[in-house]
Amino acid sequence: MTGRVLILYAPLPMPGRGGPRPAVDSAMMAMPMGLVAIAAHLAEAGVPVEIVHVGVERVIDPAFDPVAEVERLDAAVVMISLHWHYVTRPALDLAAAIKARRPHTTVVMGGLTASLFAEELLDSFPAVDFVVRGDGEEPARRLLDALGRGAEALAAVPNLWWRRGGVARLNPGTWHLDAAGAATLRHGALEHLRHARTYLEHGADADFDRPPAASPQPAFFYNPGRGCPVQCSCCGGGAQASLLTGHAGSFFYPPTKVARDLAGAWAAGARAWRTSFDPRVRRSEVVAILAAEAAAARRWELVFSCWSLPTDELLEAIAAHAAPGSAVILSPDCGDEELRRRHRGFPFTNTALCDAVAAARRRDLAVFVFFAVGVPGETEATIGRTAALAAETRRLGAEVRVLLMSLDPGSPLHQDPGAHGAHLRVRTLMDFYRVAPLDPGPYYHTDELSEGALRAAVRRLRSVARG
């Protein structure tokens, strides 16, 4: 294939927000970091490629038109990320607008949500020509090689959904990333992202509500591995996602690769590192990464999302090797221990949670405790226990955040709602398209609580969080 490739990420438009930075008019600004690796992989194969983050471009120029940009650059192929389900409408509307004005441009979609609904995408959205299912780094390159070479060449591209004779089909071959293959990829190659510094200043931190007094550093969202060994009932990215990716469990990238990726982000101006990859309870790999980064004179302001409660060794490593202002995020979801044990892959007791908050605060680490209303089985009584736990963690020095659970495509709750006492009003990709972006969700009710009651519980708990 010859011609320019654009990789586009369109976040979710929303009213402008103030705070310690200029207002950002989009949510879900943090793009999947796989886009960076795909761009670098294509560039190394000689493909002229660039990542354009529509939200970042509109921070710079509110009148930015991505379709006009596709026209200006005469892009032969546009790859659009549909990873986070929140961006279903902006991603699909962007694909339709491009195809309407440039019908000869090839439109490819990928990401977790696109993978889950690949057949529906091709059946219902004619603007989408191809869907890459699961891990996309190598399949994207092979797809570009196959374009223009006929049906047999397309049939050999792994992980590819496409139309043959007007019928959507999935190729039989699969490709998945493993630790050895990851070693050759560059997830920190931000030179292929237009206005990378602006992205670091706005993109990776815009979805994380730091206290107004905080002075956010340019932030890099980066996970030093892939996969998850457990399955939470409300998560679409857990162990069950291996059905899409072809690999089970989780793995860390080789240390040399992690160091190379983080060095690339540091060179681009990042000073804060946000991560949500924590599959090992002992955290020996994380401790080693932090020590190596400090030895390389990169002391990150770390925002570390814990999947299980932090060990003393992890907290000591963050305190010793990360910059002041570093934080840990703890996500008990609810205050009822039995519900947590039933629905969370890494359960823990309320006492252990409070002990972890206290241990982090003793080391001068910021702590954010996130509660999510909508866990199946919640009742007014369990929400009362959540309110009590929120008040206690706040008393211990944590910043408390309360979210409304959003139905995650591919989660056990989405795949088998009856087993969780849930009743969905969205199931298909078209359903998600129709409700976004104005509907606050959670797109389901339970045997115990209506959607209105769940939203009321969020308001109640947020008043507790504010004190």
Side-chain angles (χ1 to χ4, degrees), residues 79-99:
M79 297 181 173
I80 300 175
S81 172
L82 180 47
H83 187 76
W84 321 117
H85 73 84
Y86 301 97
V87 305
T88 298
R89 177 167 291 185
L92 291 174
D93 284 352
L94 178 56
I98 291 170
K99 208 67 169 179

Side-chain angles (χ1 to χ4, degrees), residues 350-374:
N350 292 347
T351 298
L353 172 69
C354 291
D355 288 346
V357 172
R361 295 298 296 134
R362 284 196 301 271
R363 294 167 172 88
D364 279 335
L365 300 177
V367 182
F368 293 84
V369 178
F370 279 76
F371 294 95
V373 174

Side-chain angles (χ1 to χ4, degrees), residues 77-283:
V77 177
V78 173
M79 297 181 173
I80 300 175
S81 172
L82 180 47
H83 187 76
W84 321 117
H85 73 84
Y86 301 97
V87 305
T88 298
R89 177 167 291 185
L92 291 174
D93 284 352
L94 178 56
I98 291 170
K99 208 67 169 179
R101 280 160 61 176
R102 287 180 60 89
H104 58 284
T105 294
T106 298
V107 175
V108 184
M109 278 199 165
L112 183 57
T113 300
S115 297
L116 285 161
F117 296 112
E119 187 170 11
E120 184 185 351
L121 259 177
L122 294 179
D123 286 342
S124 302
F125 295 90
V128 179
D129 297 303
F130 300 98
V131 179
V132 175
R133 181 179 189 259
D135 292 339
E137 291 85 352
E138 179 63 10
R141 186 193 67 77
R142 295 192 198 178
L143 172 59
L144 295 182
D145 285 345
L147 290 177
R149 294 171 47 212
E152 293 310 311
L154 289 172
V157 178
N159 300 18
L160 185 68
W161 273 95
W162 58 298
R163 299 183 190 91
R164 190 167 192 175
V167 178
R169 56 163 288 171
L170 172 65
N171 286 345
T174 60
W175 181 89
H176 65 270
L177 190 67
D178 55 20
T184 66
L185 298 175
R186 297 191 297 136
H187 287 83
L190 294 176
E191 65 268 23
H192 301 293
L193 170 63
R194 185 186 299 181
H195 297 127
R197 176 63 187 234
T198 306
Y199 172 72
L200 296 174
E201 292 174 348
H202 293 278
D205 201 57
D207 307 311
F208 180 56
D209 183 18
R210 299 296 294 265
S215 177
Q217 299 283 349
F220 182 54
F221 192 103
Y222 172 73
N223 289 335
R226 195 167 290 195
C228 183
V230 299
Q231 181 62 65
C232 301
S233 65
C234 298
C235 179
Q240 199 165 275
S242 64
L243 297 175
L244 293 174
T245 60
H247 54 71
S250 59
F251 62 90
F252 276 84
Y253 298 147
T256 53
K257 169 187 166 49
V258 174
R260 184 178 69 241
D261 289 342
L262 291 174
W266 187 275
R271 292 298 179 267
W273 170 23
R274 282 188 57 192
T275 185
S276 181
F277 183 72
D278 185 29
R280 312 278 194 269
V281 173
R282 293 191 61 183
R283 281 41 177 257

